[in-house]
Amino acid sequence: MTVYGNFPGSRPRRLRTTPTMRRMVAETRLDPADLILPAFVREGIDAPVAISAMPGVQQHTLDTLRKAAVDAVSAGVSGIMLYGVPAGEKKDARGTAGTDPDGILQVALRAVRAEVGDDLVVMSDLCLDEYTDHGHCGVLTEDGRVDNDATLERYAEMAQVQADAGAHVVGPSGMMDGQVGVVRDALDQTGHEDVSILAYTAKYSSAFYGPFREAVGSSLKGDRKTYQQDPANARESLRELALDLAEGADMVMVKPAGPYLDILAKVADSVDVPVAAYQISGEYAMIEAAAERGWIDRDAAILESLTGIRRAGAQMILTYWATEVAQRLRR
């Protein structure tokens, strides 16, 4: 072979020659501390219930939830986000089980805090959809629309009972206008100044939520397009971001993660607060389903998907693989 001068003058492949070399020069690293485990706890069951659309994920009993929290701590996971699944007969139009001090989520918060204390950041989903008989994230008007301001009053109540139950962090996820400010005021006025708010800043109306509906036993009728963001819009997310920060958000989040990496990068470049992303149920289910059919390498796909989210700017990633991946990273 004839070599002309010093061509090629630059050889980037030199830095890809061995696994150790690639690890040394990696620009993005995953760490167990980056991960948060979403977990579902269901009222009235004495054994965990598998979620068919999310292989490997289950609706927990209080006992298995405690164990999941302990396992997460042992793996080095930073947080756990809890979702309550009430008994069907306890759902009503106002989602009163969500503000009952003895409702399933509040009971679960107390149980997890008693089990792990401050070794895990215990987070709670602050939304009404799991508890309403219509499945929407708020109170409805007589003509079936979600009433923004009436819903905010309910969120203020939820914030108080979740904080009383031991939540370190509340996550208002309903995409109501003004929700962060109302929740912050409610927490501060009830002596919970130290409870943080993880704002669901850019939560898109996504087709990828399907398996989650099974996980929480959703009663949704219709859709949430009048309050969740339109997938076609990007600038709108930055407006939501500015509002959440002005209202007192301690952390902000983009949801879903994978289909919205561009939004995640914009948000991460715009703020000086921690940024989270939620790898949601549909993202999880697609990888698990493809791997089950032998179409992709499951473990490699999981790590690649999480690395992409981290590379786009997420400092914290909510993922159903949190404990599994954390254990793998620590080997």
Side-chain angles (χ1 to χ4, degrees):
M1 175 181 176
T2 302
V3 177
Y4 299 95
N6 63 347
F7 173 84
S10 181
R11 294 183 182 269
R13 287 183 56 189
R14 292 186 186 118
L15 300 182
R16 304 170 193 155
T17 52
T18 68
T20 305
M21 175 70 80
R22 294 191 293 274
R23 184 183 65 188
M24 184 179 73
V25 302
E27 299 172 27
T28 303
R29 300 183 191 280
L30 277 175
D31 187 87
D34 303 332
L35 305 178
I36 298 167
L37 176 69
F40 307 100
V41 57
R42 179 172 167 180
E43 186 173 26
I45 58 173
D46 54 15
V49 176
I51 300 167
S52 64
M54 300 174 68
V57 180
Q58 58 193 12
Q59 295 171 326
H60 285 286
T61 68
L62 287 172
D63 286 341
T64 63
L65 179 65
R66 291 187 191 96
K67 183 179 185 305
V70 170
D71 290 345
V73 171
S74 298
V77 170
S78 284
I80 187 168
M81 174 66 81
L82 300 183
Y83 294 86
V85 184
E89 66 271 14
K90 293 188 177 179
K91 294 184 179 185
D92 60 25
R94 293 182 57 81
T96 51
T99 51
D100 180 353
D102 295 319
I104 183 59
L105 180 54
Q106 285 68 252
V107 171
L109 285 166
R110 289 192 291 270
V112 172
R113 279 300 303 273
E115 189 71 38
V116 300
D118 294 335
D119 292 341
L120 197 63
V121 178
V122 179
M123 305 177 171
S124 56
D125 178 59
L126 198 162
C127 197
L128 289 170
D129 59 317
E130 296 99 318
Y131 310 100
T132 54
D133 53 13
H134 48 72
H136 279 285
C137 297
V139 178
L140 301 185
T141 62
E142 290 185 3
D143 61 357
R145 294 179 298 108
V146 175
D147 186 325
N148 191 93
D149 296 358
T151 298
L152 294 182
E153 294 179 14
R154 300 287 293 125
Y155 286 3
E157 297 174 51
M158 292 190 82
Q160 180 179 344
V161 297
Q162 291 179 1
D164 286 345
H168 293 106
V169 177
V170 296
S173 61
M175 290 299 287
M176 297 297 118
D177 294 339
Q179 64 184 13
V180 172
V182 166
V183 168
R184 183 72 271 159
D185 286 346
L187 292 171
D188 291 350
Q189 291 172 17
T190 55
H192 296 298
E193 297 88 350
D194 290 339
V195 174
S196 300
I197 296 176
L198 171 59
Y200 283 59
T201 293
K203 183 179 181 182
Y204 282 87
S205 179
S206 173
F208 293 96
Y209 293 130
F212 181 88
R213 307 267 163 83
E214 178 190 347
V216 297
S218 175
S219 303
L220 181 64
K221 300 175 179 66
D223 59 51
R224 298 180 174 133
K225 292 181 180 180
T226 63
Y227 46 103
Q228 294 178 352
Q229 283 186 242
D230 185 338
N233 293 347
R235 287 193 302 271
E236 183 181 37
S237 65
L238 298 182
R239 183 182 184 195
E240 294 278 6
L241 174 64
L243 291 168
D244 283 352
L245 292 175
E247 292 172 21
D250 299 289
M251 301 168 277
V252 297
M253 183 159 69
V254 174
K255 181 181 181 180
Y260 296 91
L261 294 182
D262 59 325
I263 307 300
L264 176 57
K266 288 177 185 291
V267 169
D269 287 343
S270 302
V271 300
D272 57 3
V273 299
V275 176
Y278 196 145
Q279 186 181 51
I280 67 168
S281 59
E283 298 175 73
Y284 175 95
M286 287 192 302
I287 290 176
E288 289 287 354
E292 183 182 350
R293 287 160 177 76
W295 295 341
I296 59 173
D297 180 326
R298 176 184 181 274
D299 292 353
I302 291 170
L303 286 178
E304 184 176 340
S305 67
L306 292 171
T307 300
I309 297 166
R310 184 74 179 84
R311 188 184 63 243
Q315 296 163 262
M316 304 169 291
I317 304 172
L318 285 80
T319 176
Y320 300 99
W321 289 302
T323 301
E324 175 189 339
V325 169
Q327 291 169 339
R328 201 189 316 170
L329 292 172
R330 298 184 78 174
R331 289 175 191 155

